[in-house]
Amino acid sequence: MSMAEEQKSFDNLSACRNLLKASVDNSTALALALDKTGPRIAELDKKLTVLEVAIRPGGSKNCTFAAVRDHIGLALGPAVAVLKILDSVRELERSLLSDSGPDSDLFSYISTIRRFEEAMKFLTGNCNLAIQWLHGVNQFLEDNSVADDRYISNVKRSVAILEELLATGEQARRNGKLLCGAFDKLEISFQQILTEISAPVGLANSSPSIPELPGHILRKLQAIVEKLNGSNRIKNCISIFVEVRSLNARNSMRALDLDYLEKAIKEHDDVQDMESCIHEWSKHMKFIVKYVLENEHSLCKEVFGNLASGVWTGCFVKIAVESGILSFLRFGMSIAESKKSPIKLLHLLNIFSVLEDLRMDFNKLFGGESCNEIKNMTRDLVTKVVNGASEIFWELPLQVELERRSSPPPDGSIPRLVSFVTDYCNRLLDDNSRPILTQVLRIYQGWKHEKYDEGLVTNQIYSIVREIAVNLDAWSKAYEQRALSYIFMMNNHFHFNSLKDTKLRDLMGDSWLNANGNYKEYYSALYLRQTWGKILALLSQDNPVSSTISDSPKKRLMAFNEAFDDVYKKQLNWVIIDESLRDKMHKLVVQTMVPAYTSYLQKYSLVEEHRHSDVFYTVQSLENMLSTLFKPKQVKYTSSSTIGSHFTGKQRNAVIDQFRFTLTAM
């Protein structure tokens, strides 16, 4: 109904009111007249006793008048009430149509709406009652012929007026323009209040602050919700709430860089990139659950908690979905469903740790039936994480064994697998990962109805280290040069011997650590004897090899130089990774070679001749060359034989001088 139509209806009601008042006045006069007629008839009854038969109808008429008087009296009360209520409705209507609306005083405005509704309800109730009694009066008058047609017509017209008023009141109470407009104003006010109190939660530090809602604001929101719910307008109210608060939740997340949530899993092949994404995911997941959604959950409960069960939880779920919680769960699912790899185990443990930390929060926030989608996705994610992590953990020794078929590093350094497994085991055993891994395995065994073995993690790490040791033995035998296999084993045993103050060392024990130290020394000695011991033997007359060479000291020196050149060229690209071990080996090699070489030159008075030779090494050049061995990405140095065959003496010395300058710069 439009405002113009409603105004017309109220104008008609005013006219009806005047007519109804006139009818009531006439009814009152009729009742008074009847009161006076009754005694007169009684007096005639006393005087005309001889006409007893004729007077009997008069007595009946006396009773009839009394009955009419009673009917009219009963109809007068509701009719007068209708007139009074109409005045109140007019006054309330002016209040609801005022420009200030709920902005000036929300609670007074809601009270006015409530009083208007009650007035309209009271109006229709009294109209119904007055109509019923007037129908009775009309029927009684027609049946007993105690009034003329004009009076009966007025009664009927009064009934019609009341019926029209009843219909108008019913329509205004149900869906009248006036009430609809008042409810619209309440919805607008509801949205304004929500917008004013909505502020994004900031992730400025480790403990974001959640804005606290003032009590008087909460009471306003609750009052509007209560009123609109009682008037069947709660759906609009919920829609407004979800729209405003969802926007607020998205604004809280918008300040974060969430692009990684949309990346395909193949884009996370880079390990560091993946770990960075999971680290961000962990931080953001805790933020959205513990702060953003916790805030929305509390507000939904406070505002809609007094309504029917499920209303406020349904409202919260819509906000949670709009905030992006499903995107976070889908990201975790993409990791859980990616291809198996050892590093994936660490990722899954991180995800499980976050989910476990948030388990109580999830139970609180998403425990209702309306949260089934989130609950099911979370349950599926936990299942995939536990199963995936457990399966990868069980396969770790086998994965190490399968790497045995690969080739060792050509430079004798530490294989990537050894470094990876060492770091990997330490990460599994650290104070953060091990409890989570144990919990995951315990859950997995429980699902399989198997008893959990407390030594499971320890035994599995033992198996991994044992397989690595077997791999090292197999790889060392793959080298064609035995000296390189010694360098390889020395590098790797030193690597394990250096694992002091680590979780892996704590697990394996001192005996394991010391054994690796002893093996390092053992292979170091084998290398020195296998390589430099044989070369030095060429300078000895007692050596079987040198016995085939002329006894000339120069001839033996030339043989030594050729053998040295050959070894140097072969070992120039061999690597000792650890700097301290490399320095130690440099010293051992120099101590093995240089004093013996110097002694030989001095013994046969070859020092001065050697100094001007284009073929022999000086003591210093020999030492310098030895110091270049085993360095990663070292400056390559050309052997003396090559120099002797391609350069003159002066050119060769210039190259050596340049080499010394390079060493100094290094």
Side-chain angles (χ1 to χ4, degrees):
M1 183 184 296
S2 66
M3 290 295 294
E5 292 173 341
E6 189 168 302
Q7 184 62 42
K8 183 179 178 181
S9 297
F10 275 104
D11 290 340
N12 290 336
L13 289 176
S14 296
C16 292
R17 173 183 178 279
N18 295 332
L19 181 58
L20 180 61
K21 188 174 185 301
S23 299
V24 170
D25 292 341
N26 291 335
S27 299
T28 304
L30 178 59
L32 292 174
L34 291 173
D35 287 340
K36 293 178 181 180
T37 304
R40 290 175 61 189
I41 294 175
E43 185 179 351
L44 290 173
D45 183 52
K46 292 179 182 179
K47 293 179 178 181
L48 301 175
T49 54
V50 272
L51 300 174
E52 183 177 353
V53 177
I55 295 174
R56 286 176 184 170
S60 175
K61 195 169 287 188
N62 180 33
C63 294
T64 300
F65 289 151
V68 171
R69 180 190 60 195
D70 292 340
H71 276 77
I72 293 175
L74 292 172
L76 282 176
V80 172
V82 168
L83 295 176
K84 292 181 179 179
I85 295 169
L86 280 174
D87 292 334
S88 298
V89 167
R90 271 308 204 184
E91 184 64 30
L92 293 170
E93 177 190 13
R94 284 191 292 271
S95 298
L96 294 178
L97 292 174
S98 65
D99 295 334
S100 59
D103 295 337
S104 59
D105 190 338
L106 174 66
F107 296 105
S108 294
Y109 191 78
I110 292 176
S111 177
T112 300
I113 294 175
R114 186 176 294 110
R115 286 188 289 119
F116 180 82
E117 290 177 317
E118 291 172 352
M120 296 304 294
K121 183 178 180 181
F122 194 53
L123 177 65
T124 55
N126 280 275
C127 280
N128 265 320
L129 189 58
I131 288 170
Q132 292 174 10
W133 284 111
L134 287 176
H135 271 305
V137 170
N138 181 68
Q139 187 66 41
F140 190 86
L141 293 175
E142 289 181 344
D143 292 344
N144 294 278
S145 300
V146 294
D148 57 23
D149 292 341
R150 183 175 59 84
Y151 183 80
I152 293 175
S153 176
N154 285 338
V155 173
K156 289 181 177 179
R157 189 173 181 185
S158 297
V159 171
I161 292 171
L162 288 172
E163 288 177 342
E164 182 181 352
L165 182 61
L166 176 64
T168 302
E170 286 285 358
Q171 186 177 11
R173 190 163 63 90
R174 287 196 303 268
N175 55 5
K177 186 68 175 179
L178 183 63
L179 277 179
C180 287
F183 294 146
D184 290 342
K185 289 182 179 180
L186 285 182
E187 290 176 358
I188 293 173
S189 181
F190 186 77
Q191 184 173 19
Q192 289 175 342
I193 295 173
L194 279 177
T195 304
E196 290 171 0
I197 66 169
S198 296
V201 180
L203 187 59
N205 48 57
S206 58
S207 300
S209 59
I210 299 177
E212 187 174 348
L213 188 63
H216 70 283
I217 296 295
L218 177 60
R219 287 190 293 273
K220 285 184 177 182
L221 295 174
Q222 291 172 335
I224 295 175
V225 166
E226 181 183 0
K227 183 68 230 139
L228 293 178
N229 180 56
S231 303
N232 297 321
R233 296 279 293 253
I234 195 61
K235 288 185 178 179
N236 289 349
C237 191
I238 291 175
S239 297
I240 292 171
F241 188 91
V242 170
E243 179 182 355
V244 174
R245 296 307 299 181
S246 295
L247 177 60
N248 187 68
R250 290 194 299 271
N251 287 337
S252 297
M253 305 303 297
R254 189 167 291 135
L256 310 176
D257 183 6
L258 301 178
D259 291 343
Y260 65 88
L261 293 177
E262 304 302 326
K263 284 185 179 180
I265 194 65
K266 62 183 180 181
E267 297 182 38
H268 293 300
D269 289 341
D270 182 79
V271 172
Q272 291 184 344
D273 179 58
M274 175 67 81
E275 290 184 350
S276 174
C277 289
I278 293 178
H279 174 73
E280 290 298 299
W281 177 85
S282 302
K283 181 171 61 176
H284 296 161
M285 184 72 163
K286 292 178 181 179
F287 171 68
I288 188 175
V289 173
K290 287 184 173 292
Y291 298 100
V292 176
L293 294 184
E294 173 67 29
N295 186 33
E296 300 304 329
H297 184 270
S298 298
L299 190 58
C300 284
K301 186 174 183 180
E302 289 174 338
V303 174
F304 297 103
N306 292 329
L307 302 187
S309 176
V311 173
W312 74 268
T313 54
C315 182
F316 166 71
V317 170
K318 292 177 183 178
I319 296 173
V321 172
E322 288 292 325
S323 70
I325 184 64
L326 295 180
S327 297
F328 283 89
L329 295 175
R330 280 193 289 266
F331 175 84
M333 194 70 74
S334 68
I335 302 297
E337 294 175 346
S338 63
K339 62 183 180 182
K340 286 185 180 180
S341 68
I343 199 64
K344 178 182 172 181
L345 171 57
L346 297 174
H347 297 158
L348 294 179
L349 292 181
N350 285 338
I351 292 175
F352 182 86
S353 176
V354 173
L355 295 176
E356 177 64 16
D357 182 51
L358 297 175
R359 181 164 57 89
M360 299 301 294
D361 299 275
F362 266 75
N363 291 340
K364 172 186 175 182
L365 299 179
F366 309 115
E369 293 183 2
S370 55
C371 306
N372 284 340
E373 181 181 9
I374 297 176
K375 285 195 295 186
N376 292 338
M377 185 176 290
T378 305
R379 188 181 300 112
D380 291 344
L381 176 56
V382 172
T383 301
K384 289 182 182 295
V385 166
V386 170
N387 288 338
S390 301
E391 291 168 4
I392 293 173
F393 182 74
W394 282 115
E395 294 173 0
L396 287 177
L398 176 61
Q399 293 297 322
V400 174
E401 180 185 350
L402 292 176
E403 290 294 319
R404 198 170 300 160
R405 305 168 188 172
S406 61
S407 300
D411 58 4
S413 60
I414 301 171
R416 290 184 60 189
L417 178 66
V418 174
S419 301
F420 172 81
V421 167
T422 302
D423 179 66
Y424 188 80
C425 290
N426 276 321
R427 292 180 66 178
L428 288 181
L429 293 170
D430 69 24
D431 295 336
N432 293 324
S433 297
R434 184 166 185 172
I436 298 299
L437 175 60
T438 301
Q439 185 176 2
V440 167
L441 296 173
R442 193 184 302 275
I443 293 172
Y444 182 75
Q445 296 291 88
W447 287 350
K448 295 175 64 178
H449 305 289
E450 297 177 359
K451 184 179 179 180
Y452 177 75
D453 182 1
E454 295 296 337
L456 178 60
V457 174
T458 299
N459 293 335
Q460 196 74 342
I461 298 298
Y462 282 147
S463 298
I464 294 171
V465 174
R466 184 167 55 250
E467 293 299 331
I468 281 290
V470 175
N471 283 11
L472 291 177
D473 287 338
W475 286 332
S476 69
K477 295 174 183 177
Y479 289 109
E480 295 180 0
Q481 302 176 66
R482 185 173 298 178
L484 180 56
S485 72
Y486 297 153
I487 292 290
F488 172 77
M489 295 298 282
M490 181 177 61
N491 268 323
N492 284 278
H493 282 293
F494 179 84
H495 170 73
F496 288 117
N497 181 241
S498 65
L499 296 177
K500 299 177 177 66
D501 300 322
T502 65
K503 293 295 182 180
L504 183 59
R505 179 264 179 199
D506 294 340
L507 178 69
M508 300 302 296
D510 290 336
S511 59
W512 176 80
L513 194 71
N514 294 333
N516 279 286
N518 293 335
Y519 276 118
K520 181 257 299 180
E521 297 294 337
Y522 170 73
Y523 285 111
S524 173
L526 286 180
Y527 165 75
L528 290 173
R529 184 168 65 247
Q530 176 71 22
T531 302
W532 306 112
K534 287 185 177 181
I535 295 177
L536 282 178
L538 295 175
L539 299 178
S540 173
Q541 288 181 331
D542 298 332
N543 189 296
V545 177
S546 64
S547 65
T548 61
I549 306 173
S550 171
D551 288 340
S552 168
K554 291 185 179 180
K555 294 281 184 77
R556 287 200 298 272
L557 188 59
M558 290 182 63
F560 171 85
N561 275 259
E562 289 176 1
F564 181 87
D565 282 350
D566 181 60
V567 170
Y568 182 81
K569 284 189 294 185
K570 289 179 180 178
Q571 298 192 11
L572 189 60
N573 292 319
W574 296 2
V575 171
I576 296 178
I577 295 297
D578 184 79
E579 185 177 359
S580 63
L581 179 61
R582 185 167 62 246
D583 291 342
K584 180 180 179 180
M585 290 305 298
H586 281 159
K587 291 179 180 179
L588 288 174
V589 173
V590 168
Q591 290 171 2
T592 301
M593 297 294 295
V594 172
Y597 186 66
T598 303
S599 176
Y600 184 85
L601 294 179
Q602 292 174 345
K603 179 180 179 181
Y604 294 101
S605 301
L606 297 173
V607 174
E608 200 61 34
E609 182 178 352
H610 174 271
R611 185 175 299 160
H612 301 287
S613 173
D614 291 340
V615 178
F616 305 138
Y617 289 111
T618 65
V619 173
Q620 186 61 47
S621 64
L622 182 73
E623 185 174 348
N624 290 341
M625 290 182 68
L626 290 174
S627 68
T628 65
L629 292 174
F630 314 129
K631 289 184 178 181
K633 299 180 181 179
Q634 62 183 353
V635 178
K636 301 297 188 298
Y637 183 76
T638 309
S639 68
S640 66
S641 297
T642 305
I643 293 175
S645 60
H646 294 287
F647 296 97
T648 65
K650 291 183 178 180
Q651 289 173 325
R652 179 182 178 208
N653 290 334
V655 172
I656 293 176
D657 291 340
Q658 179 62 39
F659 175 74
R660 287 174 179 167
F661 174 78
T662 304
L663 285 178
T664 304
M666 292 174 61

